[in-house]
């Protein structure tokens, strides 16, 4: 089977339809399908931000039902589940509905209607999405393929890939083992900055942990490893990473992730790692990789729409 792996759509219906068309998919018998039987694999983060979230979800659901697509869960679907699910212990929600969390989710809530039947139906569907896919010669997760955490999540998935309900509930308890595993797989590798260092995130908030370029063997100090807004990079100390932290460990099989809002011209990170998210949720291109069995990834197989 050959696959077209598609980055974080974030409700950008126009970009999704243009990309599917560019990749050769056509709508037939109620779903987008590829005439040569290729399958589209979505990296999660289908929702939040964009103007056509329900339409995007409808396209992906129809493709899954038609057998022309599959999707994993991104951190935005995981968050959406927690926002909607009641906490069996305190009667609130697993992801408390604070002003900030509501703001992140506002476009989705406005488009589906908060706590409407459609909202409940979509969240029930999010719960069926696997947090990763291991197809043997291709692997996908939303942010970080860490073998230990992947194994931990995998042990909580049923045969169809859906997470066990109790693991799901526990994954919203900060500091728990399920929380740590889901954070790693859907949000990436974070390390604490040394001393009193901090940077300002996109919202101007002080942050003392950095997400790191886990795929990059050349990233040997905090400053080069950090995924931070470029204007903040000089705040990150040029000190070596802590002992035992070695980035860029080679993965054996081609592995695809989204999540990172990279900038510049899309390109693979190394022969077995491709980060496909270039910020399609805002002004960036929606990127896909056309995989046809090759064990080493090549920039020639990337396709995108602006
Ligand atoms: Mn994400």
């Amino acid at each position: 089977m050959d696959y077209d792996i598609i980055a974080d759509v974030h409700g950008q219906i126009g970009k999704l339809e243009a990309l599917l068309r560019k990749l050769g998919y056509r709508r037939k018998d109620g779903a987008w399908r590829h005439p040569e039987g290729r399958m589209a694999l979505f990296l999660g983060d289908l929702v939040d931000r964009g103007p056509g979230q329900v339409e995007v979800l409808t396209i992906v659901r129809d493709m899954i039902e038609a057998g022309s697509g599959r999707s994993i869960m991104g951190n935005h679907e995981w968050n959406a589940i927690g926002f909607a699910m009641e906490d069996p212990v305190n009667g609130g929600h697993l992801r408390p509905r604070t002003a900030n969390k509501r703001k992140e989710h506002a476009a989705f809530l406005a488009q589906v209607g908060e706590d409407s039947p459609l909202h409940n139906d979509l969240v029930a569907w999010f719960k069926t999405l696997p947090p990763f896919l291991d197809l043997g010669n291709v692997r996908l997760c939303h942010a970080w393929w860490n073998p230990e955490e992947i194994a931990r999540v995998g042990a909580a998935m049923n045969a169809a890939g859906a997470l066990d309900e109790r693991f799901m509930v526990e994954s919203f308890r900060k500091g728990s083992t399920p929380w740590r595993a889901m954070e790693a797989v859907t949000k990436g590798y974070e390390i604490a900055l040394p001393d009193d260092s901090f940077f300002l995130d996109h919202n101007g908030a002080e942050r003392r942990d950095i997400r790191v370029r886990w795929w990059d063997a050349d990233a040997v100090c905090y400053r080069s490893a950090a995924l931070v807004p470029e204007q903040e990079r000089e705040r990150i100390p040029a000190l070596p990473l802590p002992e035992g932290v070695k980035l860029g460990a080679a993965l054996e099989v081609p592995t695809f992730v989204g999540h990172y809002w990279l900038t510049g011209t899309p390109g693979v990170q190394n022969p077995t790692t491709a980060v496909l998210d270039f910020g399609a949720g805002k002004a960036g291109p929606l990127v896909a990789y056309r995989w046809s069995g090759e064990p080493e990834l090549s920039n020639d197989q990337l396709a995108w729409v602006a």
Side-chain angles (χ1 to χ4, degrees), residues 8 45 75-76 142 259:
D8 317 30
D45 279 7
N75 57 309
H76 283 261
H142 187 65
H259 188 60

Side-chain angles (χ1 to χ4, degrees), residues 9 12-20 279-286 305-306:
V9 181
Q12 298 290 351
I13 181 67
K15 291 180 192 178
L16 175 59
E17 290 185 327
L19 182 65
L20 286 171
K282 288 187 181 161
L286 180 61
V305 294

Side-chain angles (χ1 to χ4, degrees), residues 12-90:
Q12 298 290 351
I13 181 67
K15 291 180 192 178
L16 175 59
E17 290 185 327
L19 182 65
L20 286 171
R21 197 164 287 283
K22 183 168 190 170
L23 294 170
Y25 291 75
R26 295 293 179 264
R27 194 183 269 284
K28 189 175 167 243
D29 301 331
W32 288 83
R33 304 165 196 260
H34 198 282
E36 289 152 29
R38 298 178 66 86
M39 184 183 279
L41 303 178
F42 292 90
L43 284 165
D45 279 7
L46 301 168
V47 298
D48 288 328
R49 298 199 173 93
Q53 298 179 36
V54 176
E55 293 92 328
V56 166
L57 293 169
T58 301
I59 284 179
V60 175
R61 286 177 84 166
D62 288 345
M63 290 180 80
I64 293 173
E65 267 169 41
S68 60
R70 297 181 77 173
S71 182
I72 60 170
M73 180 191 297
N75 57 309
H76 283 261
E77 285 80 26
W78 181 40
N79 288 346
I81 293 167
F83 189 93
M85 268 180 93
E86 275 188 21
D87 184 331
V89 174
N90 68 18

Side-chain angles (χ1 to χ4, degrees), residues 1-3 38 137-138 254 289-297:
M1 175 70 76
D2 295 338
Y3 301 111
R38 298 178 66 86
N137 39 18
V138 171
Y289 186 96
R290 291 171 290 200
W291 185 82
S292 304
E294 64 272 24
E296 296 215 338
L297 303 177

Side-chain angles (χ1 to χ4, degrees), residues 95-115:
R95 185 172 166 84
R97 295 183 169 187
T98 61
N100 275 347
K101 293 183 173 34
R102 194 176 279 282
K103 192 173 159 199
E104 285 170 22
H105 209 28
F108 176 77
L109 294 171
Q111 290 169 40
V112 303
E114 188 170 326
D115 296 324

Side-chain angles (χ1 to χ4, degrees), residues 7-225:
D8 317 30
V9 181
H10 281 304
Q12 298 290 351
I13 181 67
K15 291 180 192 178
L16 175 59
E17 290 185 327
L19 182 65
L20 286 171
R21 197 164 287 283
K22 183 168 190 170
L23 294 170
Y25 291 75
R26 295 293 179 264
R27 194 183 269 284
K28 189 175 167 243
D29 301 331
W32 288 83
R33 304 165 196 260
H34 198 282
E36 289 152 29
R38 298 178 66 86
M39 184 183 279
L41 303 178
F42 292 90
L43 284 165
D45 279 7
L46 301 168
V47 298
D48 288 328
R49 298 199 173 93
Q53 298 179 36
V54 176
E55 293 92 328
V56 166
L57 293 169
T58 301
I59 284 179
V60 175
R61 286 177 84 166
D62 288 345
M63 290 180 80
I64 293 173
E65 267 169 41
S68 60
R70 297 181 77 173
S71 182
I72 60 170
M73 180 191 297
N75 57 309
H76 283 261
E77 285 80 26
W78 181 40
N79 288 346
I81 293 167
F83 189 93
M85 268 180 93
E86 275 188 21
D87 184 331
V89 174
N90 68 18
H93 292 90
L94 288 172
R95 185 172 166 84
R97 295 183 169 187
T98 61
N100 275 347
K101 293 183 173 34
R102 194 176 279 282
K103 192 173 159 199
E104 285 170 22
H105 209 28
F108 176 77
L109 294 171
Q111 290 169 40
V112 303
E114 188 170 326
D115 296 324
S116 68
L118 174 61
H119 184 189
N120 294 333
D121 175 61
L122 292 174
V123 169
W125 182 72
F126 295 157
K127 289 162 86 172
T128 68
L129 297 174
F132 69 88
L133 276 177
D134 185 346
L135 301 171
N137 39 18
V138 171
R139 293 168 171 175
L140 278 75
C141 69
H142 187 65
W144 183 25
W145 192 277
N146 171 292
E148 284 176 16
E149 302 297 2
I150 287 283
R152 216 161 263 145
V153 172
M157 283 158 55
N158 69 19
L163 276 179
D164 170 76
E165 184 90 1
R166 189 180 305 173
F167 184 96
M168 180 80 85
V169 169
E170 285 307 307
S171 78
F172 292 99
R173 313 267 185 233
K174 197 168 182 180
S176 71
T177 302
W179 172 82
R180 210 175 303 281
M182 285 296 286
E183 284 273 315
V185 171
T186 71
K187 297 187 184 174
Y189 188 8
E190 291 195 357
I191 55 178
L193 287 170
D195 311 322
D196 293 326
S197 311
F198 67 91
F199 72 97
L200 301 179
D201 70 12
H202 288 288
N203 298 318
E206 279 187 20
R207 299 263 179 178
R208 290 167 196 280
D209 296 298
I210 49 170
R211 288 182 181 167
V212 295
R213 304 162 58 83
W214 57 265
W215 55 84
D216 187 351
D218 295 331
V220 293
C221 73
Y222 287 93
R223 186 175 293 168
S224 59

